[in-house]
Amino acid sequence: MRKELGMLCALGVLCLIIGFSNHDFIGASNLTNTCRQVAMLGIFAIGVSFVITTGGIDLSIGSVIGLTAVLIAKFSAPYVEGVAYGFPIGVGICIALAVALLIGLIQGLLITRLNLQPFIVTLGGMLLLKGVSQVITGGGTISFGSHGFRDIGDEGWKPLSFLVNPQHGQTELTFWDQLGAQQIPWPVLMFVAVALLATYLLHFTVFGRHVFAIGGNRDAALYSGVPVKRVETLTYVISAGLAGIAGIAYAAYVPGITHTLGEGYELYAITAVVIGGCSLRGGEGTILGMVIGAAVIKVLDNGINLFKITYTAADGKLVSLGLNDTWR
């Protein structure tokens, strides 16, 4: 756990520096939004961690996220002739997740049954799926408008709510409101559920031990009776499936869905996994470390926007200097 502890300390120092430079960092609104961003990155980064732990790589998850969001919008956004079909949101989500899982299965079989290189297969998948998304959207934008589905991205859960009956009518108050905070975003709750399930699967099951064994020494795992091809295929299915879940969150969060959604997300995920202690050679890593890695990336991203140095000039005026947005 030394790697995880070191990164956790680094994350704490980073938060302190940003918080001292700009108190808006610890504001309820900013913390809520930062947690939402960490969660959406963390969901699909967890999927990538399974693949990387076996010594593989998945470059297609950004395109899977984008295709998932595009499919949900195409099938379930308010009806517009030639743009969206207007089916119930459950239909769009089920179709999109089924397609994501099928993509993971196909890529896993190409890698394990035909012995193709994961880099080539998933790179080709990334480009192919991006093109499919562009065809579906026609190069334009599909919007949910004020559809209730948007609440998944914008709203959240307020814990410990209770009702009081003041003199002028009944009002709902929450313990969360009294702390000056907002709601816990739904993507954060999704992320917590995914992280707990992934922790159990990777660290407390036979499947998880097989994943580490393949990443540590593939040949030794094969001679030890580990079903290497089946386990590797399942890791790509898990990666694509979690990318699909992340795609649901992004579809609900962004105002307009285009074929460019998800571009470059695979690099953020791989970076989060490696920062969190996973080895690109395989055989190492924890879900906790990956969560910390995702938090480091998004806190740093947020900090570049908020960091500022305030001082008093010679004329007595208070001056604040921040980083230009191009420093991202």
Side-chain angles (χ1 to χ4, degrees):
M1 296 295 291
R2 285 184 296 177
K3 291 181 180 179
E4 288 78 4
L5 182 60
M7 288 310 305
L8 187 60
C9 291
L11 177 61
V13 171
L14 186 61
C15 290
L16 287 175
I17 293 173
I18 301 170
F20 277 122
S21 72
N22 190 338
H23 296 314
D24 289 340
F25 175 75
I26 57 175
S29 178
N30 185 68
L31 287 178
T32 300
N33 187 59
T34 301
C35 288
R36 180 187 291 110
Q37 296 297 326
V38 171
M40 291 194 292
L41 167 59
I43 289 172
F44 62 90
I46 285 175
V48 174
S49 69
F50 278 86
V51 173
I52 290 179
T53 303
T54 64
I57 196 72
D58 189 353
L59 301 177
S60 68
I61 52 168
S63 294
V64 174
I65 292 171
L67 180 60
T68 302
V70 165
L71 288 173
I72 294 173
K74 184 69 175 180
F75 282 97
S76 298
Y79 176 78
V80 177
E81 185 176 359
V83 178
Y85 298 138
F87 293 138
I89 190 65
V91 173
I93 290 176
C94 289
I95 291 175
L97 284 179
V99 170
L101 292 171
L102 180 61
I103 290 169
L105 178 61
I106 292 173
Q107 291 188 148
L109 292 175
L110 287 173
I111 292 167
T112 60
R113 303 299 174 178
L114 298 183
N115 295 320
L116 301 179
Q117 288 295 322
F119 185 93
I120 297 300
V121 171
T122 58
L123 177 62
M126 176 185 74
L127 299 174
L128 173 64
L129 298 176
K130 189 182 299 183
V132 172
S133 296
Q134 185 169 357
V135 170
I136 293 173
T137 61
T141 300
I142 306 176
S143 175
F144 276 97
S146 58
H147 194 287
F149 174 63
R150 293 292 307 280
D151 291 344
I152 295 177
D154 297 332
E155 302 296 329
W157 174 58
K158 292 187 177 181
L160 303 181
S161 61
F162 59 91
L163 293 174
V164 296
N165 192 5
Q167 184 177 2
H168 299 291
Q170 195 176 49
T171 305
E172 183 177 4
L173 299 178
T174 68
F175 174 73
W176 209 243
D177 289 330
Q178 291 179 340
L179 291 179
Q182 298 179 347
Q183 69 273 355
I184 300 176
W186 294 119
V188 173
L189 298 178
M190 295 164 60
F191 176 46
V192 171
V194 168
L196 291 176
L197 182 59
T199 298
Y200 172 75
L201 187 61
L202 188 61
H203 300 297
F204 299 99
T205 66
V206 174
F207 172 78
R209 289 195 290 272
H210 287 171
V211 169
F212 281 108
I214 294 170
N217 190 319
R218 180 187 173 89
D219 291 335
L222 182 62
Y223 294 138
S224 299
V226 174
V228 173
K229 293 184 178 181
R230 185 192 312 164
V231 172
E232 279 190 307
T233 301
L234 283 175
T235 60
Y236 286 95
V237 173
I238 291 171
S239 178
L242 291 182
I245 293 176
I248 296 172
Y250 279 106
Y253 182 67
V254 298
I257 298 170
T258 68
H259 68 276
T260 60
L261 178 63
E263 282 188 356
Y265 286 14
E266 60 279 348
L267 301 181
Y268 281 101
I270 294 170
T271 304
V273 170
V274 175
I275 287 177
C278 282
S279 170
L280 287 176
R281 294 187 298 271
E284 298 181 39
T286 64
I287 299 299
L288 174 61
M290 191 285 309
V291 171
I292 296 172
V296 168
I297 290 176
K298 287 303 179 181
V299 168
L300 183 60
D301 189 32
N302 183 242
I304 289 175
N305 287 332
L306 295 179
F307 181 80
K308 63 181 180 180
I309 298 175
T310 304
Y311 65 94
T312 304
D315 57 2
K317 292 182 178 180
L318 207 61
V319 179
S320 294
L321 297 178
L323 294 173
N324 188 290
D325 189 58
T326 55
W327 278 97
R328 280 171 177 247

